Amino acid sequence: MILKNLEEIKEIEKANQIIARLYRDILPPYIKAGISTKELDKIVDDYIRSQGAIPGCIGVQGMYNEFPAATCISVNEEVVHGIPGDRILQEGDIVSVDTVTILNGYYGDSAYTYAVGEIDEESKKLLEVTKKSREIGIEQAIVGNRLGDIGHAIQKYVEKEGFSVVRDYAGHGVGLAMHEDPMVPNYGRAGRGLKIENGMVIAIEPMINVGTYKVVLHPDGWTVSTKDGKRSAHFEHSIAIVDGKPIILSERSEERRVGK
Ligand code: MF3
Ligand code: CO
């Protein structure tokens, strides 16, 4: 695990703030029925480059091929790592966007699930519970706790709400690379795992399913879907532990910024 100093955390925050603005200001007007995921990818690619950064997903080596696009876009039953393509968003869909940026060698990583127009009640609850589970996980990222406290809190809340936690993918250290140690699972036992320390930078990213937690990998080598075809949502923040507490690096907020 690589602990980061404040200067480094400020740089990682800059990379993450590009994604924060992308999700808050740039993408929402385009999340509409009729747009293809390929068109959304182009908007993400252009925006990241306009900010002097590079999309981190392009060319990443997977199981048998490289990821071919700027960002991962996963619709409805797709959990993560969806490859942007000709799929057209329909009214009532949910769409997860997972973006990595590289700015001056520092990495940002954040994901957000959007509703396409009006969505059904179950999907609304899925989005709310997944987003809240991320906040519940982040609250546990304090000095004095262990990594298992994060996963445990997320799992307990999500299962109480009747949904399931994907096991095969997890959060991770981030900042000088896209994926660093340690792994940060979204399930587990309280009081177990690595101690949380100042200078840790981790991505917390619950992937939450309506039905079974089991997932399948598509023949494209990347796209991961739920095994039962029911819907899945994904919210991710990169956070840093500073003065014993978490700072959300990938949230657009004027408060609690490291970089000012
Ligand atoms: N945030 C995603 C992850 O942690 C980013 C994947 S980019 C990809 O897995 F290229 F690996 F798809
Ligand atoms: Co991630």
Side-chain angles (χ1 to χ4, degrees), residues 36-218:
S36 70
T37 54
K38 202 160 61 183
E39 288 170 295
L40 286 177
D41 181 67
K42 172 89 168 75
I43 292 155
V44 173
D45 197 353
D46 288 347
Y47 181 68
I48 292 173
R49 293 181 195 280
S50 79
Q51 302 304 297
I54 302 167
C57 287
I58 295 178
V60 168
Q61 185 60 44
M63 200 81 89
Y64 13 86
N65 53 356
E66 292 180 357
F67 194 80
T71 191
C72 301
I73 304 184
S74 310
V75 183
N76 295 345
E77 76 289 351
E78 294 172 353
V79 178
V80 277
H81 299 169
I83 300 177
D86 296 326
R87 187 166 181 168
I88 307 278
L89 297 186
Q90 315 279 335
E91 177 81 14
D93 282 351
I94 57 172
V95 57
S96 303
V97 183
D98 184 358
T99 306
V100 174
T101 49
I102 313 171
L103 182 68
N104 304 322
Y106 294 93
Y107 285 70
D109 187 2
S110 180
Y112 196 95
T113 302
Y114 294 95
V116 182
E118 264 304 304
I119 58 174
D120 60 61
E121 288 306 315
E122 185 179 61
S123 299
K124 270 185 207 164
K125 183 177 168 192
L126 178 67
L127 264 50
E128 274 164 28
V129 167
T130 307
K131 195 172 184 193
K132 188 162 173 200
S133 77
R134 176 180 66 176
E135 310 317 316
I136 285 172
I138 292 170
E139 276 171 21
Q140 293 296 318
I142 52 174
V143 171
N145 275 359
R146 290 175 182 265
L147 286 181
D149 293 308
I150 297 174
H152 178 74
I154 290 172
Q155 182 180 22
K156 198 169 130 200
Y157 167 67
V158 166
E159 292 181 355
K160 184 186 70 161
E161 294 295 337
F163 296 139
S164 72
V165 174
V166 172
R167 314 275 207 267
D168 291 358
Y169 299 85
H172 48 90
V174 64
L176 305 181
M178 186 172 87
H179 291 150
E180 300 173 7
D181 288 341
M183 280 237 303
V184 185
N186 298 300
Y187 65 97
R189 292 168 66 179
R192 299 295 175 99
L194 212 60
K195 278 187 176 164
I196 291 163
E197 288 181 68
N198 285 319
M200 269 186 157
V201 179
I202 54 177
I204 296 183
E205 51 174 318
M207 287 146 269
I208 304 304
N209 296 350
V210 164
T212 179
Y213 67 84
K214 291 188 180 155
V215 298
V216 291
L217 179 66
H218 289 220

